[in-house]
Each structure stands twice: as structure tokens, then as C-alpha cells.
């Protein structure tokens, strides 16, 4: 059994999850799922009573280029690829964390149906990526799709950008809600956190159903997309990945960086500070490799039914505890899709105005298509996102709406999901 490299060990030691019920297994109990990289099986063990090793330097990362899709490459050609102006719809799909272990997620407990409704499995997710890639979509970052301009009347407003894409390609935004690794998810078939591997890349860490620690790049939405783009670089001609939408009440990315606990003690604060230090290099590597961040409020509060005071107090905590770690963002993702002030389409209410004053410009809800509108009374764009998940994969109505991305009948894995029926007809033939 090879031991951890010091770098990875340091990350794991710094970030032991408090109160999650997972105890470090005895050395030797490590295993990795079939098909995962050899690094997995070698990467994790829990040495006891060893002197703190000198940290080994993390290898120099491979360069990663991030390009601006609003600029036509010189001569209209880059790397032998011709670029053309695109002014059509920018499609937008969003995911929740993906199910790593269906047998834990769909075990019939009280969470099963919710996970079935709102999540896809890692396998379904990979099939969706393959399908949108095959259909000619390329990834763009949400913040590149609109920009702020001053119009003739001197008013500052958001406008939709012309994008310059490889000829014949269509733009696709991906966003990911609740990339927090909530406590309830840990025992329900999801990965536990993102970590830096000994290769300097992002890996997921978690426990398999037998309780073995697993470090993998095949079980988490973030690492699966990273790998997919490595294997299909033309899926991301500008280096964009997705926008991670974070709450704050159980920390971020699997690190318990939040303050809000009963019986706060110096020990808890000390642990929080360790978690903060441990997540910083993860955030930095994600940003370096095309991931961006948005706010999902601190407490996952429904913005359509809260007073401006409640919204402000919640968001101040978000800026303190999450914004301080991920940096400024212009993107707000509505929890439950709940629009600010109850309706941000026909009005611009006080809570919306306050959020805009805090720097948000792109306000995302959920809908049946990738609708968007630049508001004419304030510098902001409101938009909807589509949601690949159990509800839409099972639905005959959604089958048609999502056909431009994939045929749900090819995606849904009914062999692992609970028996809750579908409303589409099987494929002919
Ligand atoms: Zn959410």
C-alpha cells in the first residue's frame, strides 16, 4: 500500500469533516471502483501517528487558456478553425450534484424521491455531455454572454453579446446548483468534497457503499466535465466549464467554512479556519481551469416570499462567508427558482434593486426553455434555465423540449432509479 503524497495528505488532514459520521478507516481498507484511475487506489490511506511530513510541492500545472468568445480571432481563424458571429439563443442547462452511488441514493428512504426528481446519476450526466457535444454545442461562460453598456440616453443597461464561435457550433451555458456537499448528501450516494490530487488536478473524495474511501474523477459533476473537456478540447474552445452556484449554510465544495452553528466554540472556529485554508487552493484551481462561481443565497432562501430585510441579512452572510472565498460574482441563481419580489419579469422590486446594487447583473431562474431578457429599467438580465433531472427525463412533454440536447430515452437509467413510471412512448423500432 502506497502512502498518500504529502500534499494530498495535508489536504485530507486539514479538512476532516466534522460531524458527518465518517470515520477514517484503518489503513489498508482503501479501495477504488473499477475503471477509476490508478491514482485512486494509491491515493488514500489513513496513516496514524506519523510525524507531520514535509509537504511535497504540487507539480507545476499544465497551462490552461481562457479566451474571450466576444472577440473574433485575428483573420477569423484560430488553430485552423474558422470562427463566425452568433446572435441566436444561448442555451442554458443546470444540474444539481450527480449521484455517484445509486444504491445509496435510491434506497427507499425519505430522500429517495427527491433525489430521483432533481438529480441525474453520474452515468446519465456523462451521456448528456456526450450528446450535447455530438449535437454541436460548445461551452461558454455565463458572464461572457451579456455585458453592460451605456446607451444613447446615457443609461447603463445589460446587452446581449455577439459571440464568435467555431463555425456551425451553438453556445451552451452549464451551471451547477448547491455544489456544497450538504451533510444529507454524504450518506445518500454523493461525493463528499473536491480535493486536489497528487497530479494537481481536481478530484472528488468520498466513501463507497462499503465505507471505503474513494478518490476519483468519474463520480462528480465537476471532475467528469473536467475529464470530458480534456478528452474533447473542442467542446470548450474558450476554456469555459460551468458556473458553480453556492449557498453558505453548510460551507462550500465540501469544506465546512460556515459560522452558523449552535454552541460555537474556539475549537469550532479553529476547525472553520482550517477548512477555509483547505478550500482556497481548490477554488483557485477551479477558477484557473474555467469554472466560475455564482450566489445561491446563504441559506437557500426562497427569494419570492422573503422581505428585503431577510434577503439582505442572508446575503450579507453570503458575502462574508462565501464571496470572501470565491471572489466577486455578477450571477445570482434563485433557490427553488423563486423570483425576487415574487416577479422580476413585470416589475423591478426593492429586493431586486438591492441585489443589483450589490453587483449582481445576471439573475437566473428555472423554466421550460433558455429564455432571457435584458431589463429596460435597470442594468440586469433575467433568464431561465432548463433542468435535466428525473422529472424531465421521465416526462413525455419534456422529451420534446430536450430533444435538441438529447433523447431522454437514451439517457435515463431505469435500472437504478426507483420504479416511478415515465410518460413518454418507447422509441419506435
Ligand atoms: Zn438549490
Amino acid at each position: 500500500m502506497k502512502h498518500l503524497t504529502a500534499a494530498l495528505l495535508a489536504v485530507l488532514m486539514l479538512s476532516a469533516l466534522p460531524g458527518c459520521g465518517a470515520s477514517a478507516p484503518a489503513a489498508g481498507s482503501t479501495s477504488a471502483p473499477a475503471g477509476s484511475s490508478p491514482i485512486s487506489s494509491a491515493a488514500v490511506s489513513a496513516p496514524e501517528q506519523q510525524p507531520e511530513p514535509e509537504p511535497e510541492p504540487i507539480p507545476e500545472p499544465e497551462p490552461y487558456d481562457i479566451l474571450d468568445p466576444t472577440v473574433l480571432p485575428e483573420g477569423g481563424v484560430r488553430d485552423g478553425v474558422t470562427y463566425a458571429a452568433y446572435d441566436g439563443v444561448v442555451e442554458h442547462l443546470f444540474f444539481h450534484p450527480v449521484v455517484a452511488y445509486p444504491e445509496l441514493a435510491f434506497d427507499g428512504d425519505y430522500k429517495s424521491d427527491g433525489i430521483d426528481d432533481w438529480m441525474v446519476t453520474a452515468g446519465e450526466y456523462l451521456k448528456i455531455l456526450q450528446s450535447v457535444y455530438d449535437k454541436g454545442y460548445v461551452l461558454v461562460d455565463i458572464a461572457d454572454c451579456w455585458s453592460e453598456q451605456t446607451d444613447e440616453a446615457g443609461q447603463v443597461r445589460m446587452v446581449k453579446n455577439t459571440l464568435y464561435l467555431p463555425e456551425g457550433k451553438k453556445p451552451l451555458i452549464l451551471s451547477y446548483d448547491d455544489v456544497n456537499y450538504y451533510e444529507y448528501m454524504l450518506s445518500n450516494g454523493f461525493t463528499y468534497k473536491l480535493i486536489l490530487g497528487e497530479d494537481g488536478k481536481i478530484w472528488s473524495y468520498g466513501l463507497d457503499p462499503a465505507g471505503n474511501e474513494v478518490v476519483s474523477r468519474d463520480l462528480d459533476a465537476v471532475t467528469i466535465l473536467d475529464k470530458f473537456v480534456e478528452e474533447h478540447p473542442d467542446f470548450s474552445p474558450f476554456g469555459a466549464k460551468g458556473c458553480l452556484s453556492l449557498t453558505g449554510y453548510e460551507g462550500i465544495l465540501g469544506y465546512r467554512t460556515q459560522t452558523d452553528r449552535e454552541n460555537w466554540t474556539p475549537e469550532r472556529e479553529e476547525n472553520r479556519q482550517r477548512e477555509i485554508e483547505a478550500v482556497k487552493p481548490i477554488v483557485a484551481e477551479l477558477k484557473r481551469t474555467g469554472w466560475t462561481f455564482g450566489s445561491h443565497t446563504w441559506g437557500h432562501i426562497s427569494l419570492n416570499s422573503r422581505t428585503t430585510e431577510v434577503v439582505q441579512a442572508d446575503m450579507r452572510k453570503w458575502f462574508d462567508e462565501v464571496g470572501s472565498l470565491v471572489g466577486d460574482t455578477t450571477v445570482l441563481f434563485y433557490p427553488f427558482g423563486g423570483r425576487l419580489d415574487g416577479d422580476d419579469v413585470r416589475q423591478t422590486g426593492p429586493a431586486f434593486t438591492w441585489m443589483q446594487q450589490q453587483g449582481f447583473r445576471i439573475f437566473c431562474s428555472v423554466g421550460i426553455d433558455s429564455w432571457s431578457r435584458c431589463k429596460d429599467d435597470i442594468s440586469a438580465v433575467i433568464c431561465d434555465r432548463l433542468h435535466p433531472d428525473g422529472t424531465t427525463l421521465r416526462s413525455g412533454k419534456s422529451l420534446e423540449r430536450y430533444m435538441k440536447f438529447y433523447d431522454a430515452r437514451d439517457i435515463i437509467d431505469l435500472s437504478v432509479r426507483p420504479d416511478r413510471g415515465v410518460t413518454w412512448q418507447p422509441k419506435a423500432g
Side-chain angles (χ1 to χ4, degrees):
M1 170 69 55
K2 252 173 78 184
H3 283 294
L4 282 174
T5 65
L8 178 57
L9 176 64
V11 169
L12 289 174
M13 287 174 63
L14 278 171
S15 54
L17 289 166
C20 69
S23 57
S29 69
T30 297
S31 75
S36 66
S37 155
I39 189 179
S40 306
S41 55
V44 178
S45 66
E48 287 169 60
Q49 294 155 1
Q50 285 194 356
E52 188 112 358
E54 284 293 312
E56 281 171 23
I58 288 180
E60 197 63 28
E62 290 164 33
Y64 193 94
D65 292 332
I66 304 223
L67 303 169
D68 184 348
T70 67
V71 178
L72 183 65
E74 224 177 284
V77 177
R78 180 162 50 228
D79 299 334
V81 176
T82 303
Y83 282 69
Y86 180 93
D87 285 300
V89 172
V90 180
E91 297 290 352
H92 187 168
L93 300 178
F94 94 96
F95 296 90
H96 284 105
V98 300
V99 172
Y101 300 107
E103 60 270 53
L104 293 179
F106 307 126
D107 59 356
D109 72 6
Y110 78 108
K111 288 285 185 191
S112 287
D113 284 359
I115 296 170
D116 179 63
D117 281 344
W118 308 119
M119 275 75 158
V120 296
T121 67
E124 291 168 342
Y125 172 69
L126 182 58
K127 283 198 274 182
I128 289 171
L129 293 183
Q130 185 67 51
S131 181
V132 292
Y133 171 73
D134 291 341
K135 288 180 181 293
Y137 287 97
V138 293
L139 299 181
V140 293
D141 185 67
I142 186 168
D144 288 331
C145 296
W146 297 272
S147 51
E148 200 162 51
Q149 281 184 10
T150 307
D151 64 20
E152 286 135 30
Q155 288 180 319
V156 178
R157 296 290 180 265
M158 293 298 276
V159 294
K160 191 159 174 285
N161 292 332
T162 294
L163 300 175
Y164 296 95
L165 306 179
E167 218 165 19
K169 298 293 184 184
K170 298 167 285 187
L172 175 66
I173 298 165
L174 296 180
S175 56
Y176 297 82
D177 282 13
D178 302 283
V179 190
N180 299 86
Y181 304 79
Y182 298 134
E183 299 279 350
Y184 90 82
M185 290 184 173
L186 307 187
S187 55
N188 275 286
F190 297 85
T191 55
Y192 282 42
K193 58 162 60 174
L194 297 176
I195 63 170
L196 277 182
E198 54 190 10
D199 55 0
K201 290 180 179 175
I202 301 285
W203 294 66
S204 71
Y205 165 85
L207 299 185
D208 71 12
N212 302 306
E213 294 189 307
V214 176
V215 173
S216 174
R217 297 183 80 210
D218 300 317
L219 298 174
D220 189 283
V222 168
T223 58
I224 290 170
L225 182 62
D226 277 344
K227 239 178 112 171
F228 192 86
V229 170
E230 284 169 21
E231 288 159 9
H232 308 85
D234 57 334
F235 187 40
S236 183
F238 312 103
K241 298 276 180 52
C243 187
L244 304 179
S245 161
L246 303 178
T247 63
Y249 69 98
E250 288 189 348
I252 65 167
L253 307 174
Y255 296 80
R256 303 307 178 208
T257 53
Q258 77 280 12
T259 52
D260 199 79
R261 280 171 189 276
E262 285 166 29
N263 309 317
W264 197 248
T265 62
E267 290 72 35
R268 285 193 159 159
E269 180 58 26
E270 229 171 82
N271 184 69
R272 182 173 105 84
Q273 293 303 326
R274 277 197 299 271
E275 296 281 287
I276 287 172
E277 290 311 308
V279 81
K280 282 178 181 174
I282 314 296
V283 170
E285 178 62 11
L286 288 168
K287 286 174 130 174
R288 192 186 73 82
T289 53
W291 295 94
T292 56
F293 293 93
S295 175
H296 200 38
T297 77
W298 186 88
H300 205 277
I301 60 170
S302 179
L303 292 169
N304 60 2
S305 57
R306 300 302 184 100
T307 64
T308 308
E309 291 67 37
V310 170
V311 170
Q312 290 176 352
D314 176 90
M315 285 304 294
R316 287 198 179 102
K317 282 182 97 158
W318 191 89
F319 290 120
D320 277 357
E321 297 182 12
V322 183
S324 62
L325 296 173
V326 301
D328 293 340
T329 180
T330 59
V331 191
L332 179 68
F333 296 96
Y334 296 154
F336 313 106
R339 297 177 177 279
L340 274 161
D341 306 299
D343 179 2
D344 61 4
V345 181
R346 276 168 295 187
Q347 60 161 11
T348 299
F352 191 100
T353 303
W354 183 82
M355 285 286 202
Q356 196 272 353
Q357 288 166 352
Q358 307 313 304
F360 294 109
R361 295 292 180 273
I362 304 171
F363 297 75
C364 303
S365 186
V366 178
I368 57 168
D369 60 20
S370 300
W371 172 88
S372 71
R373 179 193 291 174
C374 294
K375 286 173 78 82
D376 53 19
D377 59 344
I378 190 169
S379 179
V381 54
I382 51 179
C383 57
D384 282 351
R385 308 173 284 164
L386 288 143
H387 52 111
D389 57 24
T391 65
T392 55
L393 287 175
R394 291 177 185 279
S395 152
K397 261 187 192 148
S398 299
L399 183 82
E400 295 305 321
R401 291 185 187 124
Y402 286 73
M403 201 58 94
K404 66 179 96 165
F405 306 111
Y406 53 77
D407 184 330
R409 295 167 295 190
D410 300 330
I411 304 295
I412 192 166
D413 187 353
L414 293 170
S415 73
V416 297
R417 286 180 175 270
D419 183 13
R420 300 174 74 208
V422 295
T423 59
W424 34 252
Q425 296 300 314
K427 279 179 169 181

